[in-house]
Amino acid sequence: MTVALLVNGRPYERSVESRRLLVDFLRHELQLHGTHVGCEQGVCGACTVLLDGEPVKSCLMLAPQAHGHSITTVEGLAGRGELHPVQQAFRDAHALQCGYCTPGFLLGAVALADRGVALEGAALREELAGNLCRCTGYQNIVEAVERYLRQAAAGRRDG
Amino acid sequence: MKPAPLEYLTALTVEEALAALARFDGNVRLLAGGQSLVPLLSMRLLRPMAVVDINRIPGLDRIVAADGVVRVGALARYSALEASPVIRERVPLLAKAIPFVGDRQIRNRGTLGGALCHADPAGEMALCAVTLGARLRIVGHSGLRELDAEAFFQGPYTTALEPNEMLETVEFPDGAGTEAVVVEHARRHGDFAVVSVAATGLRAPDGSWRWMRIGLGAVADRARYARRASEGLAGTRLQPADVTAAAARCLEEAGPTSDVRASAEYRRHLVPILVERALEDLARRR
Amino acid sequence: MDKLPWLGASVKRKEDDRLLRGSGRFLDDVEETLTLHVAIGRCPYPHARIRSIDVTRALGHSGVEAVLTGQQVVARTEAITALRPFAGSAPTAFYGMAQEVARYEGEPVVAVAAVDRYVAEDALELIDIDYEPLPHVVTVEDALRPGAPQLHATVPSNVVVESTVRAGEPDRRLADATVTVEGTFRINRVSGAPIETRGVIARWAEDSSTLELWASTQTPHLLRAQLAHCLRMDETDVRVIAPDVGGAFGLKIGVYPEDIIAALLAIDTRRPVKWIEDRTEFFRGAAHAREAVHTLTLAADRDGTLRALRDRYLIDLGAYHGPLGPPLLTNVMLAGPYRLHDADIHRRVVLTNKVPMGAYRGYGQAESNYVREVLVDRLARRLGQDPADFRRRNLLRPDELPFKNVSGVTYDSGDYARGLDLALSRVGYETFRARQKESGQQGRHVGVGMSCYVEFTGYPSSAFLGRGGARFGAYESVTVRMDRAGRAAISTGVSTFGQGTETTFAQIAASLLGLDPADVAIHRGDSKGTPYSVGGFASRTMIAGAGAIEKAAGQIRDKMLRIGGTILGVDPAALETTTGVVRRRDDPSVQVSIQRVSEAAFLGYPLPPGEDPGLEATAYFDPPSSAFGYGTVVVQVEVNARSGEFALQRYILVHDCGTQVNPMIVEGQVQGAVAQGIAAALFEELVYDRDTGQLVNGTMVDYFMPTAADLPVFELDHLETPSPVTPFGIKGVGEGGTIAAAAAITNAVCDALAPFGVELDRLPVTAESIWRALAAARAKG
């Protein structure tokens, strides 16, 4: 069957097997390798993408379901240019080590910023609980996202 | 872990969905949020000939308060329920339960109807449905039928839905003015409940509770409305003796089993503790 | 030596740009045309005879290119070797695939290579395998019972090896001691569980008759050596490349059965063959870790002076001895930071029908710390002494170091009591007992627990390893090469798996060569074009790698001074390198750029007479000693004595890891290790059902890895005492955070519940296990 969708603002139309997981479609049909597979059970969150701006686990969707939708992957953040502010925040806070879980966290943080939510501490940790990290112990990730959300909120205030 | 071959169909109306169900004669699954279904497909624990995507059926996700009830479409997603002022004000138990469900990503896709039809004995939505005495509206080729939540859940992952039927709407009593609390013990955040307790009630101006409804999750083959415990609290002020009595009655309703998360004995031990915790929380509300 | 400008600098990581953009190249991101994808059929039973396999229908399935069975694998390969064979170990024949008997749930039994993974899994379902289930054992006690099934004909009584370490006169000391306490402790079976599972791509290069393997590995060179041996090939004909690795923690070391399977399929089909482990396979195939049962005895005088230690322990190895097998540091570090001269440590490594054990962060140190520090607290309590005072009495003082412990290793330097005192002051220990009493009066149970550790980092020379029969050395190596623009490139066999080596190696080289770290490129993880490397594990890479870089950079710098001398007409002895230039020490205006010097090297002119062109050096560094980090963890908890529920209120780690090359990276490593320590202490356990022998919770849903919402904020304090025995005083830093979590938390819970006389003796610590311990304490009266 055919699936037509936007990914990172670009239109794609592809023929796809019904049972193809969305994450496999993004990675292997569209060659967007930044979204990662960690469990295929919807627990680790490494496969997180934005579907119409909301974070979802792409291992929990069949590719045909994405027809007509708009997906953002990590590749859609910086493009070829400068790092996106969320990426810069992660770099500054040393919020990544092996980097495998990182794209999922980045997109989740961007969605939070878009919702205008400047969470911190325990409330933020709950929001991030859908993404597992095994390298960092989360502390620097929380710091990076807090800093990024504060910046984003200030940016909005200042117009 | 990749799904076995299957056909993917999209239904744009309830009739189309029902037609697809009939066509595959039971060897088919409705795909709503997919948060429970897709991993089962990937692990090949389920091998339907087809899945029918119902996410595009318009109007199946509405949340409407009218006639003393709140009608929630089966396709309403957790995130929409979380954000809904109608739910917050009129079905506060649902609002309290949703933070315990999964995580942000799962709540962006998972649906109320999907959760109820999946019928996990530890599921928070089923717990809310039986606790609140919700009515489930089911559509099939023979038309519409309605079931009380308690009758809908028949066992672990088993409901009264016939193969060619679909859950359409869930009707909750309008709970404006009620108090609600959910207490849970889990092995980690967002994980399946080891024991869950839902409690909701209406307080009279004199401080007594007109009625109280308590539900227990993860301690039986399905969510349980603790009828005796609940009825025993009507008219009380949730004094310590009332609370203790209710907790003991709840324990009588519980029939937990052991699994990797906890033993049956520990679950039994927790039931009265969590019931007391929930009721004490309500008692403290002004 | 000149000042090192980039040592101790929290330079932002070079790895980050690509990883943040999603341009990291992990194993599954490597895609070649015509690749075949592998799905592996695995034994569903803990122990079974494979009576027959019929692959006819699978071979006929559209899209299937090849099928491999155990008979072919065993006929064509050698068994997997141990990287650290322990003298006297009975061999277990661990092949790439089971042929007649499968010995653990998950052992490969058949493999299909097809056009994609979906089709390969379809084809697996068309394979008919007739299993005859055999009696199984999934606990060490069952494995040792008379009449237990013998899992390998070569291993009588299922004991792979038995060993004893003795020092002093432990029997006499134990008999004479005023007080002895004994405890039996069960340590949980866990998995390092990186977010990226394992994976391999094998390709047979027809033109050169060589095998090329991409692998998510910490040890490209060791994997290469082992794989060549298994495939009966010359090492020269095998190349292993590690792309970016999504976490490893010790379980991606050496060769696995799937590497062999992929290689054979690649050789047979002449196409690239890719296997990506899914998470269900992962829990049934990637190395398990830590499971052990200890019966520990500690003896002390009435005044609280520790006198002797006796341990009888069993390690649950699983069904085979893999490349690394059982952890070896349990023995080595059991005595910890205490003044002990008398010890008797007896170990048995036992076979069970479970996934083979391998290394996991700490390599036995978390286990030994847990049993010892929990028993130390019980001993202190028995003597009526404060656990901090008891420890202070027995901790080795700085002036007592270097100190050779009962296991024969020498602690180089450290101030253990200082670490303890700092951690305790952080938690406010002086006033804690008063606060505890006050809380108790309100019906709340708070407690503080502590755990002190010394940490073994790095290996003390290849000779030490070689004498012990190891199949790898203690060294690291690099090639450092300058280009004509005056920039450096380091080639290293070490792969990138989160530890920041690309950045820290660049920092050291830049410091020595007068460059900016941005001007030092790192080529890593490829066995081709890099000198022999051991790999990233055992907290050794920075120590050994820094030494190698120092040597290589030293050679290059000396040559730069010689060439600079020729260009400037100055005696090289009067010159120095500093950022970007070679210049006269006493007249800095007399200088030439490093770029110009490099260019001269590549033009071959102007050079000193007799000097060869080029500006590169390869160096190996073999550390003569291990370095010992140390630290203390102090935890404050509150426990609900009715339900067993508890909360970590404070988690404090004070540690000394020696000179920090990049403090930001050090802190990240420690935080990550602490998280894993807490995870193994409170959340995780691989559970096998005794009756069915099945792994009950081998899924991400049921193996409880903590989320951000489950972990507390860590309070970390870093002390920095340079090691006297390593390059730049560096100590390893990757594993320490895992060591003391379980003991500190256990001790804190027991402290909170001291009025009830609770003792905890198993991991993980959960609300239920605390509830059971409370019930047991009540029953004991």
Side-chain angles (χ1 to χ4, degrees), chain B residues 182-227:
Chain B
V182 173
V183 174
E184 215 178 90
H185 179 85
R187 286 293 295 267
R188 60 178 168 171
H189 189 86
D191 198 45
F192 296 103
V194 163
V195 174
S196 54
V197 173
T200 185
L202 181 64
R203 199 176 221 153
D206 71 351
S208 66
W209 292 83
R210 288 222 176 99
W211 55 264
M212 182 68 57
R213 290 181 66 99
I214 303 174
L216 305 174
V219 291
D221 63 349
R222 65 196 99 158
R224 282 227 177 283
Y225 169 53
R227 178 165 279 104

Short mmCIF file of all heavy atoms in Angstrom, two decimals, chain B residues 182-227:
data_model
loop_
_atom_site.label_atom_id
_atom_site.label_comp_id
_atom_site.label_asym_id
_atom_site.label_seq_id
_atom_site.Cartn_x
_atom_site.Cartn_y
_atom_site.Cartn_z
N VAL B 182 -6.76 8.33 43.48
CA VAL B 182 -6.23 7.03 43.05
C VAL B 182 -4.90 6.84 43.75
O VAL B 182 -4.06 7.75 43.77
CB VAL B 182 -6.03 6.97 41.53
CG1 VAL B 182 -5.32 5.67 41.11
CG2 VAL B 182 -7.38 7.09 40.82
N VAL B 183 -4.73 5.67 44.34
CA VAL B 183 -3.48 5.34 45.02
C VAL B 183 -2.98 4.03 44.42
O VAL B 183 -3.76 3.12 44.18
CB VAL B 183 -3.72 5.16 46.54
CG1 VAL B 183 -2.44 4.67 47.22
CG2 VAL B 183 -4.17 6.47 47.16
N GLU B 184 -1.68 4.00 44.17
CA GLU B 184 -1.15 2.83 43.50
C GLU B 184 0.22 2.46 44.06
O GLU B 184 0.96 3.33 44.51
CB GLU B 184 -0.99 3.17 42.01
CG GLU B 184 -1.28 2.02 41.08
CD GLU B 184 -1.16 2.39 39.61
OE1 GLU B 184 -0.06 2.26 39.04
OE2 GLU B 184 -2.19 2.78 39.03
N HIS B 185 0.52 1.20 44.05
CA HIS B 185 1.90 0.78 44.30
C HIS B 185 2.39 0.09 43.03
O HIS B 185 1.70 -0.78 42.50
CB HIS B 185 1.98 -0.20 45.48
CG HIS B 185 3.38 -0.68 45.76
ND1 HIS B 185 4.27 0.03 46.52
CD2 HIS B 185 4.05 -1.77 45.33
CE1 HIS B 185 5.43 -0.62 46.58
NE2 HIS B 185 5.31 -1.72 45.86
N ALA B 186 3.55 0.48 42.56
CA ALA B 186 4.12 -0.12 41.36
C ALA B 186 5.61 -0.29 41.57
O ALA B 186 6.20 0.37 42.42
CB ALA B 186 3.84 0.75 40.14
N ARG B 187 6.22 -1.13 40.77
CA ARG B 187 7.65 -1.41 40.89
C ARG B 187 8.50 -0.26 40.36
O ARG B 187 9.64 -0.08 40.75
CB ARG B 187 8.00 -2.71 40.18
CG ARG B 187 7.54 -3.96 40.92
CD ARG B 187 8.27 -4.17 42.24
NE ARG B 187 9.68 -4.43 42.03
CZ ARG B 187 10.22 -5.64 41.91
NH1 ARG B 187 9.45 -6.69 41.98
NH2 ARG B 187 11.52 -5.77 41.74
N ARG B 188 7.97 0.47 39.42
CA ARG B 188 8.65 1.69 38.96
C ARG B 188 7.61 2.61 38.37
O ARG B 188 6.46 2.22 38.17
CB ARG B 188 9.75 1.37 37.95
CG ARG B 188 9.24 0.70 36.73
CD ARG B 188 10.30 0.41 35.69
NE ARG B 188 9.71 -0.49 34.72
CZ ARG B 188 10.27 -0.84 33.57
NH1 ARG B 188 11.46 -0.38 33.24
NH2 ARG B 188 9.65 -1.65 32.74
N HIS B 189 8.03 3.83 38.13
CA HIS B 189 7.09 4.85 37.69
C HIS B 189 6.42 4.46 36.38
O HIS B 189 7.09 4.02 35.45
CB HIS B 189 7.84 6.17 37.51
CG HIS B 189 6.93 7.31 37.26
ND1 HIS B 189 6.34 8.02 38.28
CD2 HIS B 189 6.46 7.82 36.12
CE1 HIS B 189 5.56 8.94 37.76
NE2 HIS B 189 5.61 8.85 36.45
N GLY B 190 5.09 4.61 36.35
CA GLY B 190 4.36 4.36 35.11
C GLY B 190 4.15 2.90 34.81
O GLY B 190 3.53 2.54 33.81
N ASP B 191 4.66 2.06 35.67
CA ASP B 191 4.58 0.62 35.43
C ASP B 191 3.19 0.11 35.79
O ASP B 191 2.41 0.80 36.48
CB ASP B 191 5.65 -0.08 36.26
CG ASP B 191 5.93 -1.49 35.78
OD1 ASP B 191 6.06 -1.67 34.55
OD2 ASP B 191 6.03 -2.40 36.60
N PHE B 192 2.90 -1.11 35.41
CA PHE B 192 1.61 -1.71 35.79
C PHE B 192 1.47 -1.72 37.30
O PHE B 192 2.43 -1.97 38.03
CB PHE B 192 1.54 -3.15 35.25
CG PHE B 192 1.56 -3.20 33.76
CD1 PHE B 192 2.71 -3.56 33.08
CD2 PHE B 192 0.43 -2.86 33.02
CE1 PHE B 192 2.74 -3.60 31.70
CE2 PHE B 192 0.46 -2.89 31.65
CZ PHE B 192 1.61 -3.25 30.98
N ALA B 193 0.26 -1.49 37.77
CA ALA B 193 0.02 -1.44 39.21
C ALA B 193 0.25 -2.81 39.82
O ALA B 193 -0.09 -3.84 39.24
CB ALA B 193 -1.42 -1.00 39.48
N VAL B 194 0.84 -2.81 40.99
CA VAL B 194 0.90 -4.01 41.82
C VAL B 194 -0.42 -4.12 42.57
O VAL B 194 -1.01 -5.18 42.69
CB VAL B 194 2.09 -3.93 42.79
CG1 VAL B 194 1.97 -4.93 43.92
CG2 VAL B 194 3.40 -4.15 42.03
N VAL B 195 -0.84 -3.01 43.12
CA VAL B 195 -2.17 -2.86 43.70
C VAL B 195 -2.60 -1.43 43.41
O VAL B 195 -1.80 -0.51 43.56
CB VAL B 195 -2.17 -3.08 45.24
CG1 VAL B 195 -3.54 -2.76 45.82
CG2 VAL B 195 -1.76 -4.49 45.60
N SER B 196 -3.84 -1.28 42.99
CA SER B 196 -4.35 0.08 42.82
C SER B 196 -5.71 0.21 43.49
O SER B 196 -6.48 -0.74 43.55
CB SER B 196 -4.43 0.47 41.35
OG SER B 196 -5.17 -0.48 40.61
N VAL B 197 -5.94 1.38 44.02
CA VAL B 197 -7.21 1.68 44.69
C VAL B 197 -7.74 2.99 44.14
O VAL B 197 -7.03 3.98 44.09
CB VAL B 197 -7.03 1.80 46.22
CG1 VAL B 197 -8.31 2.27 46.88
CG2 VAL B 197 -6.57 0.48 46.81
N ALA B 198 -9.00 2.98 43.73
CA ALA B 198 -9.66 4.20 43.29
C ALA B 198 -10.81 4.47 44.25
O ALA B 198 -11.51 3.54 44.65
CB ALA B 198 -10.20 4.04 41.87
N ALA B 199 -10.96 5.70 44.65
CA ALA B 199 -12.06 6.01 45.56
C ALA B 199 -12.64 7.36 45.17
O ALA B 199 -11.92 8.30 44.86
CB ALA B 199 -11.58 6.03 47.00
N THR B 200 -13.96 7.41 45.19
CA THR B 200 -14.62 8.65 44.83
C THR B 200 -15.93 8.75 45.58
O THR B 200 -16.57 7.75 45.88
CB THR B 200 -14.85 8.72 43.31
OG1 THR B 200 -15.40 9.99 42.96
CG2 THR B 200 -15.78 7.61 42.83
N GLY B 201 -16.28 9.97 45.94
CA GLY B 201 -17.50 10.12 46.71
C GLY B 201 -18.00 11.54 46.71
O GLY B 201 -17.31 12.47 46.25
N LEU B 202 -19.18 11.72 47.24
CA LEU B 202 -19.80 13.05 47.31
C LEU B 202 -19.99 13.41 48.77
O LEU B 202 -20.61 12.68 49.55
CB LEU B 202 -21.15 13.04 46.57
CG LEU B 202 -21.88 14.38 46.57
CD1 LEU B 202 -21.08 15.42 45.80
CD2 LEU B 202 -23.28 14.22 45.93
N ARG B 203 -19.47 14.55 49.11
CA ARG B 203 -19.56 15.00 50.51
C ARG B 203 -20.78 15.91 50.67
O ARG B 203 -20.98 16.82 49.88
CB ARG B 203 -18.30 15.79 50.82
CG ARG B 203 -18.07 15.90 52.32
CD ARG B 203 -16.77 16.61 52.62
NE ARG B 203 -16.10 15.98 53.72
CZ ARG B 203 -14.80 15.99 53.91
NH1 ARG B 203 -14.04 16.57 53.03
NH2 ARG B 203 -14.28 15.41 54.97
N ALA B 204 -21.51 15.68 51.72
CA ALA B 204 -22.66 16.52 52.04
C ALA B 204 -22.18 17.78 52.75
O ALA B 204 -21.09 17.81 53.29
CB ALA B 204 -23.63 15.74 52.92
N PRO B 205 -23.00 18.83 52.77
CA PRO B 205 -22.60 20.08 53.46
C PRO B 205 -22.25 19.85 54.92
O PRO B 205 -21.41 20.56 55.47
CB PRO B 205 -23.85 20.95 53.35
CG PRO B 205 -24.57 20.46 52.15
CD PRO B 205 -24.29 18.98 52.06
N ASP B 206 -22.84 18.84 55.56
CA ASP B 206 -22.52 18.64 56.97
C ASP B 206 -21.24 17.83 57.17
O ASP B 206 -20.86 17.50 58.29
CB ASP B 206 -23.68 17.93 57.68
CG ASP B 206 -23.80 16.46 57.24
OD1 ASP B 206 -23.09 16.08 56.28
OD2 ASP B 206 -24.58 15.71 57.84
N GLY B 207 -20.53 17.52 56.08
CA GLY B 207 -19.25 16.84 56.20
C GLY B 207 -19.33 15.34 56.09
O GLY B 207 -18.30 14.67 56.02
N SER B 208 -20.52 14.79 56.11
CA SER B 208 -20.60 13.33 55.94
C SER B 208 -20.58 13.02 54.45
O SER B 208 -20.84 13.89 53.63
CB SER B 208 -21.88 12.79 56.57
OG SER B 208 -23.00 13.31 55.85
N TRP B 209 -20.29 11.82 54.16
CA TRP B 209 -20.21 11.39 52.75
C TRP B 209 -21.51 10.74 52.34
O TRP B 209 -21.91 9.73 52.90
CB TRP B 209 -19.03 10.44 52.56
CG TRP B 209 -17.72 11.17 52.74
CD1 TRP B 209 -17.10 11.45 53.92
CD2 TRP B 209 -16.92 11.74 51.71
NE1 TRP B 209 -15.95 12.16 53.70
CE2 TRP B 209 -15.81 12.37 52.34
CE3 TRP B 209 -17.03 11.81 50.32
CZ2 TRP B 209 -14.83 13.03 51.63
CZ3 TRP B 209 -16.04 12.48 49.61
CH2 TRP B 209 -14.96 13.08 50.26
N ARG B 210 -22.16 11.38 51.35
CA ARG B 210 -23.44 10.83 50.87
C ARG B 210 -23.23 9.42 50.32
O ARG B 210 -24.00 8.52 50.61
CB ARG B 210 -24.04 11.69 49.76
CG ARG B 210 -24.58 13.00 50.22
CD ARG B 210 -25.93 13.32 49.54
NE ARG B 210 -26.44 14.56 50.12
CZ ARG B 210 -26.32 15.77 49.54
NH1 ARG B 210 -25.73 15.89 48.38
NH2 ARG B 210 -26.80 16.83 50.16
N TRP B 211 -22.24 9.30 49.53
CA TRP B 211 -21.91 7.98 49.01
C TRP B 211 -20.41 7.93 48.75
O TRP B 211 -19.76 8.96 48.64
CB TRP B 211 -22.69 7.65 47.74
CG TRP B 211 -22.57 8.65 46.62
CD1 TRP B 211 -23.43 9.66 46.34
CD2 TRP B 211 -21.53 8.73 45.65
NE1 TRP B 211 -23.01 10.37 45.28
CE2 TRP B 211 -21.84 9.83 44.80
CE3 TRP B 211 -20.37 7.99 45.38
CZ2 TRP B 211 -21.03 10.20 43.73
CZ3 TRP B 211 -19.57 8.38 44.31
CH2 TRP B 211 -19.91 9.46 43.50
N MET B 212 -19.93 6.72 48.68
CA MET B 212 -18.52 6.47 48.42
C MET B 212 -18.44 5.24 47.54
O MET B 212 -19.20 4.30 47.74
CB MET B 212 -17.78 6.22 49.75
CG MET B 212 -16.29 5.99 49.63
SD MET B 212 -15.37 7.44 49.11
CE MET B 212 -15.86 8.57 50.40
N ARG B 213 -17.57 5.30 46.58
CA ARG B 213 -17.36 4.12 45.73
C ARG B 213 -15.87 3.82 45.69
O ARG B 213 -15.06 4.71 45.40
CB ARG B 213 -17.91 4.34 44.33
CG ARG B 213 -19.44 4.38 44.28
CD ARG B 213 -19.95 4.57 42.86
NE ARG B 213 -19.66 3.46 42.00
CZ ARG B 213 -20.54 2.49 41.69
NH1 ARG B 213 -21.75 2.52 42.20
NH2 ARG B 213 -20.19 1.52 40.86
N ILE B 214 -15.53 2.58 45.99
CA ILE B 214 -14.12 2.16 46.01
C ILE B 214 -13.93 1.06 45.00
O ILE B 214 -14.74 0.13 44.92
CB ILE B 214 -13.74 1.60 47.40
CG1 ILE B 214 -14.00 2.64 48.49
CG2 ILE B 214 -12.26 1.19 47.41
CD1 ILE B 214 -13.78 2.08 49.89
N GLY B 215 -12.87 1.17 44.23
CA GLY B 215 -12.53 0.12 43.28
C GLY B 215 -11.11 -0.39 43.54
O GLY B 215 -10.26 0.36 44.03
N LEU B 216 -10.89 -1.65 43.23
CA LEU B 216 -9.58 -2.27 43.44
C LEU B 216 -9.05 -2.77 42.10
O LEU B 216 -9.79 -3.42 41.34
CB LEU B 216 -9.69 -3.47 44.38
CG LEU B 216 -10.33 -3.21 45.74
CD1 LEU B 216 -10.50 -4.52 46.49
CD2 LEU B 216 -9.49 -2.22 46.55
N GLY B 217 -7.80 -2.50 41.82
CA GLY B 217 -7.19 -2.97 40.58
C GLY B 217 -5.99 -3.86 40.87
O GLY B 217 -5.33 -3.73 41.90
N ALA B 218 -5.74 -4.76 39.96
CA ALA B 218 -4.55 -5.63 39.98
C ALA B 218 -4.59 -6.67 41.10
O ALA B 218 -3.58 -7.32 41.36
CB ALA B 218 -3.26 -4.81 40.10
N VAL B 219 -5.73 -6.84 41.74
CA VAL B 219 -5.80 -7.83 42.82
C VAL B 219 -6.87 -8.89 42.55
O VAL B 219 -7.33 -9.57 43.47
CB VAL B 219 -6.04 -7.17 44.19
CG1 VAL B 219 -4.80 -6.39 44.59
CG2 VAL B 219 -7.27 -6.28 44.18
N ALA B 220 -7.25 -9.00 41.30
CA ALA B 220 -8.22 -10.03 40.92
C ALA B 220 -8.08 -10.21 39.42
O ALA B 220 -7.24 -9.58 38.78
CB ALA B 220 -9.63 -9.61 41.29
N ASP B 221 -8.96 -11.06 38.87
CA ASP B 221 -8.83 -11.29 37.43
C ASP B 221 -9.39 -10.12 36.61
O ASP B 221 -9.37 -10.14 35.38
CB ASP B 221 -9.50 -12.60 37.05
CG ASP B 221 -11.01 -12.58 37.32
OD1 ASP B 221 -11.49 -11.63 37.98
OD2 ASP B 221 -11.70 -13.51 36.85
N ARG B 222 -9.93 -9.16 37.28
CA ARG B 222 -10.41 -7.93 36.64
C ARG B 222 -10.56 -6.87 37.71
O ARG B 222 -10.54 -7.20 38.91
CB ARG B 222 -11.74 -8.20 35.93
CG ARG B 222 -12.87 -8.54 36.90
CD ARG B 222 -14.05 -9.16 36.22
NE ARG B 222 -14.01 -10.61 36.37
CZ ARG B 222 -15.07 -11.39 36.25
NH1 ARG B 222 -16.24 -10.90 35.94
NH2 ARG B 222 -14.93 -12.69 36.41
N ALA B 223 -10.73 -5.65 37.29
CA ALA B 223 -10.94 -4.58 38.26
C ALA B 223 -12.23 -4.87 39.03
O ALA B 223 -13.19 -5.38 38.49
CB ALA B 223 -11.04 -3.24 37.52
N ARG B 224 -12.21 -4.55 40.30
CA ARG B 224 -13.35 -4.89 41.16
C ARG B 224 -13.95 -3.65 41.79
O ARG B 224 -13.24 -2.83 42.36
CB ARG B 224 -12.89 -5.78 42.31
CG ARG B 224 -12.68 -7.20 41.92
CD ARG B 224 -13.34 -8.15 42.92
NE ARG B 224 -13.19 -9.53 42.50
CZ ARG B 224 -13.92 -10.08 41.54
NH1 ARG B 224 -14.83 -9.37 40.91
NH2 ARG B 224 -13.74 -11.34 41.21
N TYR B 225 -15.26 -3.55 41.73
CA TYR B 225 -15.94 -2.55 42.53
C TYR B 225 -16.18 -3.18 43.90
O TYR B 225 -16.82 -4.22 44.02
CB TYR B 225 -17.27 -2.15 41.87
CG TYR B 225 -18.17 -1.32 42.75
CD1 TYR B 225 -17.69 -0.16 43.37
CD2 TYR B 225 -19.49 -1.70 42.98
CE1 TYR B 225 -18.51 0.60 44.18
CE2 TYR B 225 -20.32 -0.94 43.80
CZ TYR B 225 -19.83 0.21 44.40
OH TYR B 225 -20.63 0.95 45.21
N ALA B 226 -15.65 -2.56 44.92
CA ALA B 226 -15.78 -3.13 46.28
C ALA B 226 -17.13 -2.68 46.85
O ALA B 226 -17.24 -1.69 47.58
CB ALA B 226 -14.62 -2.64 47.13
N ARG B 227 -18.13 -3.42 46.52
CA ARG B 227 -19.51 -3.02 46.80
C ARG B 227 -19.79 -2.91 48.30
O ARG B 227 -20.28 -1.91 48.79
CB ARG B 227 -20.47 -4.01 46.13
CG ARG B 227 -21.94 -3.74 46.39
CD ARG B 227 -22.84 -4.50 45.43
NE ARG B 227 -22.95 -3.85 44.13
CZ ARG B 227 -22.35 -4.24 43.03
NH1 ARG B 227 -21.54 -5.29 43.04
NH2 ARG B 227 -22.52 -3.58 41.90
#
